[in-house]
Amino acid sequence: MCVGIPGRIITVDDPEHRLATVDVGGVRRKINIACIVDEAHPPEACIGDWVLIHVGFAMSRIDEEEAQKTLELLRELGEMDAELEAMHAFDRAR
Amino acid sequence: MKFIDEFRDPAKAKALVRHINTLVTKIPRPGGRPLQLMEVCGGHTHSIFKYGIAQLLPEAIELVHGPGCPVCVLPMGRVDDCVALAEHPNVIFTTFGDAMRVPGSRKSLLQAKAEGADVRMVYSPMDALALARAHPDREVVFFALGFETTMPSTALTVLQAEAEGIENFSVFCNHITIIPVIKAILDSPDLSLDGFLGPGHVSMVIGSSPYEFIARHYHRPLVIAGFEPIDILQSVWMVVKQLAEGRCEVENQYQRLVPHAGNRVALEAIHRVFELRPWFEWRGLGSIDHSGVRLRESFAHLDAERRFSVPNLKIADPKSCQCGEVLKGVIKPWQCKVFGTACTPETPLGSLMVSSEGACAAVYQYGRIDLAEVVRQREAVAAGRQPVGAGSS
Amino acid sequence: MSDGRGAPPRKSPRARSGKLRGDTITLSHGSGGRAMRDLIDDVFVGSFDNPALAPLEDQARFPLAELARSGDRLAFTTDSYVVDPLFFPGGDIGTLAVNGTVNDLAVSGARPLYLTCSMIIEEGFPAAELRRVAASMRAAAETASVAIVTGDTKVVNRGAADKLFINTAGIGVIPADVNISAARARPGDRLLVNGHIGDHGVAILAARDDLALEVPIRSDTQPLAALVQSLLAAGIRVHCLRDATRGGLATVLNEFADSAGVGIRIDESAIPVREAVRGVSELLGLDPLYYANEGVLVAAVPAEDAQAALAAMRAQPAGQHAALIGEVTEGPAGSVIMDTGFGGERIVDMLVGEQLPRIC
Ligand code: SF4
């Protein structure tokens, strides 16, 4: 229901008002980063963050490690699949 | 593009589809009935059609397109209120693009604009606030709608307006909440759903715990799903896996964006600015308790509903319209009596035909190949034979 | 060329004598009097400067025999330009007004020759901007090798028009053996585009500024006549050609499928789309297939000619990014189906109304 798209924060323009610029495939837009800022992660630390952008707000930081884990799992599924396929081919050949 | 292209990889899709195919055979389906999985969110509906996902799935899995398109579930009376606000002489009415086409009982915002109302499309509520700053002599009203994903942006904008003391800005609040509507669907007597794909972007705000009751009390699995096609296929695989293993849990496929506890800053902003309404009206589904929010009393001066008089009439949906049954997954879009005849994207009767996230518009626009197949099957049923699995979408 | 073949153009004593005074266009510039004469002499005749326009008769005149030497049919078209904003990265309303009409002629296989230019100006319009537009029209006409030979100017009350509207009509000559028509698409034909889609639509969307996007994209407005002529010169048996303006690539494909009663299948991953155009589409939930283009054409050619057509396109400046995007099929008639690049497929329909950003 909510168009949300990954982008990367390239500058923090106004830390006090939580304004930053994101880049999405070369397209730039000013967004509000209040939702991804807290004591542990001040505005200045947001540069370089990959975030999910929705209606001009960064709604969440993308956890690159989790993304890798998901992709890794998919890779394993793919390999299992290839093995199964090979087994079937072997069975058929007999 | 990073975090997009990896999740649109056809090779990964093939592997997932094979795993789904294998699992599905292990699930008992009395009478050959297909497994019905509801994607709650309109964003999922859109992806499913855009990438042709339904055709990749086995016939034993049927995707039911749920109520998660905030544009689609907006009742006509509220659209009329928007038009009334927009037609106030001094008002600049700001709205997200796709809300402009939704038909009210007299006209849509697009028509009101053609007739002279100052309706402007914005990308962000912050842009509406900027308009208020730029036009201190005009009243800028922002048409806020959406589920919990969009609520924080409205809340933060309201707080910003308050902090700056901007007096010519107000919000027409139509924000709705996802949990009560899922509950309403689960409580409907004709329920036949076997599992859910949970709304990924809502969940990044509210977290995954609010869905626990679905697994616990209604014994249905739910997997919080991302929006890229691989995300959706993987989530289907996860639901099917639960069903095959006899489990009912809340799982999270969208780990990269959805933390278990949601987003604290966003939730705080929501709670500061909004309070639950006793009930809210949904198009096609009727009134649902505690399913909408409005601005708290302390922000009353920023609430367009309190600031201007709006008609606030309840307008019944057209009689021939079966949006409610489609939303609940009881019938398929093409089974509605007026689908594709009286109700088309050019002349939408029901709101599901308006936004491309609406189930009917999505089927109409993207799905008519399958439709030919469906018509054949319906004829087969009419001729007394059993359909060969009711093809998905 | 107003009065006969080959004769040296007569210079009218009136031409180029007037000088536009003042910084803005007023109603008096449309009144038919001295001020209008000055405006036309200064801004238009000065800019467009060609033998057919200089005499300032009420009509342009051209020798039939000369036209008949290069073909056996005239192509004749008209289009109005109301773009907002008037100036945008990659061009302005003037460039569009020339290239758009040139391209409408070009896709018939015609060699575009003459254009008219009719302007409707809102009073108060800055004279400097009008000069700028006229200069762009001149430059575009030169690039496309066409002459602007007659025109008209009206000035209307403030609010009766939005700044500036331009209408251009154009005439071209179609060579005798050329027969290009949307109805000629045949099953088996290959479909090509000459370059990236969506640039113009996105450039305009960004230039409007209400979405506050910074986009490194310029309009693709360009004349396509040379590209089309090079296809014909290479002996390509072109069945269909159309420029994908409003409604975008999706609309042209649907028109082919409808007119010829055939099906069309395209491959999403083969369609050239720039990264930033994708970025805008993802952000706003829009579909690049429906963006307007001003320098993109779609061609259907027999399968045997497809590679040669691709090579001929790529040899042209307007075709460097040409690509094979799909083929014509038996049917279902009128349907355009796209392989989604993900293993699925979907219908690509005509657009219903305007494409609006999908935000929630
Ligand atoms: S076809 Fe129209 S009226 Fe029927 S359910 Fe769909 S949107 Fe509603």
Side-chain angles (χ1 to χ4, degrees):
Chain A
M1 74 197 74
C2 325
V3 172
I5 204 73
R8 188 162 202 210
I9 295 179
I10 48 173
T11 54
V12 173
D13 310 295
D14 180 350
E16 195 198 334
H17 291 107
R18 307 282 191 256
L19 290 180
T21 301
V22 277
D23 180 296
V24 177
V27 179
R28 289 178 180 190
R29 155 95 207 186
K30 282 228 171 9
I31 60 160
N32 182 302
I33 53 169
C35 291
I36 58 160
V37 166
D38 58 22
E39 305 78 42
H41 196 76
E44 294 72 21
C46 294
I47 296 175
D49 281 357
W50 280 90
V51 296
L52 190 105
I53 307 153
H54 172 65
V55 299
F57 286 72
M59 296 307 304
S60 191
R61 264 203 304 278
I62 301 179
D63 187 330
E64 302 205 29
E65 222 170 274
E66 285 295 346
Q68 277 318 317
K69 271 196 226 159
T70 304
L71 290 170
E72 188 51 40
L73 175 80
L74 289 166
R75 197 154 29 240
E76 279 165 24
L77 281 175
E79 277 161 18
M80 262 167 68
D81 192 55
E83 274 166 35
L84 276 176
E85 182 62 7
M87 263 166 58
H88 283 175
F90 181 68
D91 285 348
R92 274 197 299 273
R94 279 199 307 177
Chain B
M1 285 191 246
K2 193 166 170 187
F3 298 116
I4 294 184
D5 295 335
E6 313 86 295
F7 294 95
R8 293 184 187 172
D9 172 7
K12 295 192 185 86
K14 265 204 198 102
L16 277 168
V17 167
R18 270 203 236 153
H19 283 277
I20 292 170
N21 281 334
T22 319
L23 277 176
V24 138
T25 56
K26 301 190 179 133
I27 304 168
R29 290 182 293 118
R33 189 185 79 84
L35 296 173
Q36 286 193 320
L37 311 186
M38 173 178 277
E39 85 275 2
V40 177
C41 177
H44 287 146
T45 308
H46 185 84
S47 292
I48 286 166
F49 283 96
K50 184 164 170 213
Y51 298 100
I53 293 174
Q55 308 132 30
L56 298 177
L57 294 174
E59 283 184 351
I61 295 179
E62 184 179 309
L63 296 174
V64 176
H65 316 306
C69 165
V71 174
C72 302
V73 295
L74 196 69
M76 246 185 206
R78 298 296 283 187
V79 180
D80 289 351
D81 292 348
C82 284
V83 169
L85 282 168
E87 286 176 343
H88 266 268
N90 198 32
V91 161
I92 299 177
F93 192 85
T94 56
T95 170
F96 296 140
D98 46 0
M100 291 173 72
R101 240 198 298 264
V102 191
S105 68
R106 289 182 304 130
K107 52 186 137 180
S108 66
L109 282 168
L110 220 48
Q111 286 162 312
K113 178 171 183 271
E115 289 168 19
D118 193 347
V119 179
R120 304 194 196 179
M121 187 176 74
V122 290
Y123 169 67
S124 167
M126 283 291 184
D127 297 350
L129 189 61
L131 271 174
R133 270 188 221 110
H135 300 276
D137 51 328
R138 305 279 302 275
E139 281 283 344
V140 174
V141 178
F142 173 66
F143 176 23
L145 84 169
F147 285 93
E148 284 90 337
T149 323
T150 322
M151 265 186 221
S153 60
T154 307
L156 289 165
T157 305
V158 164
L159 291 170
Q160 178 79 28
E162 179 77 355
E164 286 182 42
I166 296 179
E167 282 171 1
N168 62 327
F169 177 77
S170 59
V171 166
F172 181 49
C173 182
N174 290 276
H175 283 302
I176 43 183
T177 55
I178 196 78
I179 299 295
V181 71
I182 298 183
K183 195 162 179 312
I185 287 171
L186 283 165
D187 282 334
S188 82
D190 36 15
L191 175 80
S192 57
L193 301 173
D194 299 286
F196 291 90
L197 303 187
H201 290 158
V202 165
S203 309
M204 85 194 156
V205 174
I206 67 173
S208 52
S209 50
Y211 305 104
E212 293 293 346
F213 76 99
I214 299 173
R216 214 170 316 120
H217 300 310
Y218 294 90
H219 309 293
R220 298 289 194 285
L222 179 142
V223 174
I224 295 167
F227 293 85
E228 296 304 333
I230 290 291
D231 289 326
I232 294 176
L233 278 178
Q234 191 188 359
S235 304
V236 168
W237 172 70
M238 288 167 76
V239 174
V240 171
K241 194 154 185 284
Q242 288 199 37
L243 290 171
E245 293 167 4
R247 290 181 294 130
C248 291
E249 291 163 23
V250 175
E251 291 181 317
N252 184 2
Q253 180 274 335
Y254 210 23
Q255 296 276 4
R256 64 184 185 276
L257 269 164
V258 175
H260 180 69
N263 186 312
R264 188 177 54 82
V265 181
L267 288 171
E268 271 172 21
I270 291 177
H271 291 136
R272 270 182 73 188
V273 173
F274 299 117
E275 63 188 11
L276 278 179
R277 296 175 193 257
W279 50 267
F280 197 72
E281 186 76 20
W282 293 58
R283 192 170 222 174
L285 294 174
S287 159
I288 302 177
D289 286 353
H290 305 299
S291 64
V293 299
R294 62 172 186 176
L295 269 65
R296 285 185 188 279
E297 195 54 46
S298 45
F299 296 100
H301 53 292
L302 293 170
D303 186 350
E305 257 173 289
R306 289 158 163 136
R307 193 154 157 161
F308 302 89
S309 58
V310 292
N312 203 359
L313 292 179
K314 204 177 146 182
I315 312 276
D317 294 325
K319 271 204 199 60
S320 48
C321 164
Q322 292 182 278
C323 298
E325 283 152 279
V326 173
L327 279 177
K328 281 186 275 187
V330 177
I331 63 167
K332 303 263 155 286
W334 58 84
Q335 289 166 330
C336 171
K337 293 184 288 288
V338 290
F339 178 89
T341 52
C343 188
T344 65
E346 280 116 282
T347 54
L349 264 189
S351 46
L352 295 181
M353 205 44 115
V354 178
S355 159
S356 63
E357 297 183 6
C360 294
V363 170
Y364 189 91
Q365 227 137 34
Y366 293 146
R368 273 177 290 156
I369 318 178
D370 299 20
L371 204 60
E373 175 61 22
V374 170
V375 170
R376 259 202 307 282
Q377 290 190 6
R378 258 207 286 183
E379 281 161 4
V381 179
R385 277 174 289 135
Q386 272 298 307
V388 254
S392 41
S393 66
Chain C
M1 275 193 286
S2 64
D3 58 348
R5 56 226 66 184
R10 262 188 305 119
K11 284 247 163 88
S12 156
R14 294 173 308 176
R16 273 180 254 173
S17 59
K19 196 95 198 102
L20 174 65
R21 272 170 280 269
D23 294 338
T24 54
I25 307 299
T26 63
L27 286 176
S28 65
H29 289 112
S31 63
R34 181 76 233 167
M36 179 167 126
R37 186 87 284 153
D38 289 346
L39 167 74
I40 292 174
D41 286 354
D42 184 8
V43 178
F44 299 121
V45 180
S47 290
F48 300 160
D49 187 27
N50 65 64
L53 182 63
L56 286 184
E57 298 289 353
D58 278 347
Q59 68 292 119
R61 304 172 192 184
F62 1 84
L64 282 177
E66 198 172 285
L67 297 179
R69 268 199 291 279
S70 41
D72 63 351
R73 282 153 300 160
L74 281 182
F76 182 31
T77 186
T78 179
D79 209 339
S80 297
Y81 300 85
V82 296
V83 65
D84 172 41
L86 297 178
F87 302 91
F88 45 83
D92 60 38
I93 187 170
T95 357
L96 282 192
V98 172
N99 289 340
T101 297
V102 162
N103 292 346
D104 281 345
L105 293 171
V107 292
S108 70
R111 190 183 292 278
L113 294 172
Y114 303 113
L115 257 51
T116 70
C117 165
S118 173
M119 294 208 172
I120 297 174
I121 310 170
E122 185 185 20
E123 70 173 320
F125 188 67
E129 293 193 7
L130 192 64
R131 285 183 205 278
R132 205 173 140 195
V133 169
S136 312
M137 290 188 79
R138 178 200 178 130
E142 250 171 44
T143 312
S145 311
V146 294
I148 298 170
V149 291
T150 186
D152 177 50
T153 309
K154 294 281 178 337
V155 181
V156 298
N157 282 313
R158 192 171 269 278
D162 185 12
K163 297 185 280 289
L164 174 65
F165 296 157
I166 302 180
N167 173 278
T168 53
I171 285 183
V173 178
I174 306 177
D177 48 350
V178 171
N179 184 12
I180 299 172
S181 150
R184 290 190 62 213
R186 292 288 167 270
D189 281 1
R190 296 294 189 269
L191 296 161
L192 298 95
V193 292
N194 63 310
H196 294 110
I197 64 163
D199 291 4
H200 179 72
V202 165
I204 295 294
L205 199 70
R208 272 189 199 144
D209 215 40
D210 40 5
L211 299 172
L213 298 173
E214 241 179 83
V215 186
I217 291 285
R218 300 160 63 78
S219 165
D220 61 353
T221 177
Q222 60 181 341
L224 296 168
L227 182 91
V228 174
Q229 291 306 319
S230 77
L231 284 176
L232 297 176
I236 310 294
R237 291 161 291 171
V238 179
H239 286 167
C240 319
L241 268 188
R242 203 158 270 189
D243 55 336
T245 51
R246 267 175 309 167
L249 177 63
T251 302
V252 170
L253 294 172
N254 273 284
E255 286 167 358
F256 285 0
D258 274 343
S259 306
V262 293
I264 279 178
R265 181 170 278 275
I266 53 171
D267 175 2
E268 185 167 31
S269 49
I271 301 169
V273 183
R274 287 184 209 276
E275 176 99 341
V277 170
R278 272 188 72 195
V280 170
S281 311
E282 297 288 347
L283 265 171
L284 301 179
L286 301 176
D287 190 337
L289 293 177
Y290 297 98
Y291 290 136
N293 307 283
E294 289 294 339
V296 170
L297 57 72
V298 191
V301 304
E304 312 86 86
D305 291 5
Q307 285 309 325
L310 194 62
M313 278 192 185
R314 287 186 177 159
Q316 288 287 319
Q320 282 169 32
H321 301 283
L324 273 165
I325 60 162
E327 63 181 47
V328 178
T329 64
E330 296 281 349
S335 71
V336 179
I337 296 165
M338 180 161 84
D339 292 321
T340 63
F342 179 71
E345 57 182 36
R346 68 168 158 103
I347 288 193
V348 175
D349 210 340
M350 293 268 210
L351 197 58
V352 179
E354 201 188 345
Q355 197 174 209
L356 294 173
R358 208 167 52 81
I359 286 158
C360 51

